[in-house]
Amino acid sequence: MSDISRQLAEQLHDRFGDRLAAVVDAVGEVTLELAGDNLLEVASALRDEPALAFGMLMDLCGVDYLNYGRDEWATEETTASGFSRGVEALTAGRLGPVTEDLVLEKPGRARRFAAVYHLLSIRNNRRLRLRVFAPNDDLPVVPSVIGIWNSANWYEREAFDLYGILFDGHPDLRRLLTDYGFIGHPFRKDFPLTGNVEVIYDAEKKRVVYQPVSIEPRVLVPKVIRAEGVEAVDLMLLADEADESAPAGATE
């Protein structure tokens, strides 16, 4: 963390107090986590107060924290020191907040969907991130900030389209990127990577038709070994080298 980011984090904590669920200063970036009920009040103050002056919403995106901190490979020995060291709240690799009383016990674990806002203050040359969790995973709803930053219009539509997050107060919330009649939200973690349907040309019907996807789902994330003092090794590369050097007909 830098002196500038720490100063901003402390300033925001003093300004908003109990309206914030957490203030995190990590790698020179400040993140405010707050409830949806406080979003519009805090966002208006961030935009309008000269000491803050976050007049630009640079980006807004959705996040799905389903199975956060887990990968597709079963790992028992490296959970606290390898892949998950940066996402498990109690491990040494997790960067802490400004003060211990501001951290949630397990940020993001109990709730699934969040809207994340990236703000810029041109006047003060500062950047800030807001994170707001939807209280209901089955019907995720957060307030729309179009009335504060008009640039949120298409950003909120994109988050709705890809994650299914509803933005209360949006004047025209409809899909932006997927096709007409698309079912589901493709960036959700439980949405199959292969999709649910595929498009083919039916020679008998002489038209394009939809049918259930024929691709078998499979894990596409390469498994890695993380040993102390040794750089990560891609097992896929090791397997290729073993195949080249193994005698004909040999097996593992």
Side-chain angles (χ1 to χ4, degrees):
M1 63 183 69
S2 66
D3 292 339
I4 296 176
S5 62
R6 173 173 286 276
Q7 180 184 9
L8 176 60
E10 292 175 349
Q11 176 186 0
L12 294 170
H13 178 240
D14 294 339
R15 170 62 180 83
F16 297 110
D18 295 339
R19 280 165 289 185
L20 304 179
V23 182
V24 178
D25 177 13
V27 295
E29 298 180 354
V30 179
T31 301
L32 300 185
E33 184 174 315
L34 62 156
D37 293 341
N38 298 321
L39 173 61
L40 298 183
E41 178 188 357
V42 172
S44 296
L46 290 172
R47 182 196 63 181
D48 297 336
E49 295 185 8
L52 302 171
F54 287 97
M56 295 188 65
L57 174 66
M58 303 299 295
D59 189 23
L60 185 162
C61 61
V63 182
D64 182 357
Y65 284 92
L66 181 68
N67 296 326
Y68 180 63
R70 303 175 186 174
D71 61 0
E72 284 93 342
W73 303 99
T75 58
E76 296 179 355
E77 299 178 355
T78 61
T79 300
S81 59
F83 173 83
S84 300
R85 69 184 186 279
V87 292
E88 291 193 357
L90 301 181
T91 61
R94 179 89 181 200
L95 293 172
V98 177
T99 56
E100 292 298 325
D101 60 335
L102 291 176
V103 68
L104 299 179
E105 182 178 358
K106 288 186 178 180
R109 291 298 182 86
R111 295 155 297 174
R112 177 175 175 181
F113 296 103
V116 179
Y117 309 78
H118 297 271
L119 310 180
L120 171 65
S121 172
I122 297 178
R123 176 185 298 176
N124 299 320
N125 192 24
R126 288 175 170 176
R127 294 180 183 269
L128 177 66
R129 181 185 299 111
L130 303 181
R131 180 170 60 180
V132 179
F133 279 93
N136 188 337
D137 292 344
D138 296 327
L139 185 65
V141 180
V142 298
S144 172
V145 296
I146 287 182
I148 301 172
W149 297 291
N150 190 52
S151 60
N153 193 333
W154 280 27
Y155 291 145
E156 291 181 349
R157 285 182 57 190
E158 181 182 38
F160 162 69
D161 191 359
L162 300 180
Y163 291 94
I165 300 174
L166 300 172
F167 292 88
D168 186 22
H170 192 289
D172 187 22
L173 192 63
R174 53 193 169 94
R175 290 186 180 271
L176 181 67
L177 300 175
T178 54
D179 197 5
Y180 298 106
F182 189 91
I183 298 176
H185 303 281
F187 275 19
R188 288 190 174 189
K189 297 301 183 181
D190 52 4
F191 191 89
L193 293 178
T194 57
N196 293 311
V197 296
E198 62 185 17
V199 181
I200 65 167
Y201 178 77
D202 191 313
E204 295 182 358
K205 298 180 179 180
K206 296 184 178 180
R207 62 181 177 88
V208 173
V209 298
Y210 289 90
Q211 67 178 22
V213 66
S214 59
I215 303 175
E216 291 293 332
R218 58 194 177 96
V219 175
L220 301 176
V221 180
K223 189 173 182 180
V224 298
I225 299 175
R226 291 179 172 86
E228 184 176 357
V230 179
E231 295 182 358
V233 180
D234 190 335
L235 285 187
M236 296 176 67
L237 298 178
L238 292 179
D240 291 341
E241 294 176 1
D243 291 341
E244 294 176 359
S245 60
T251 59
E252 294 183 357

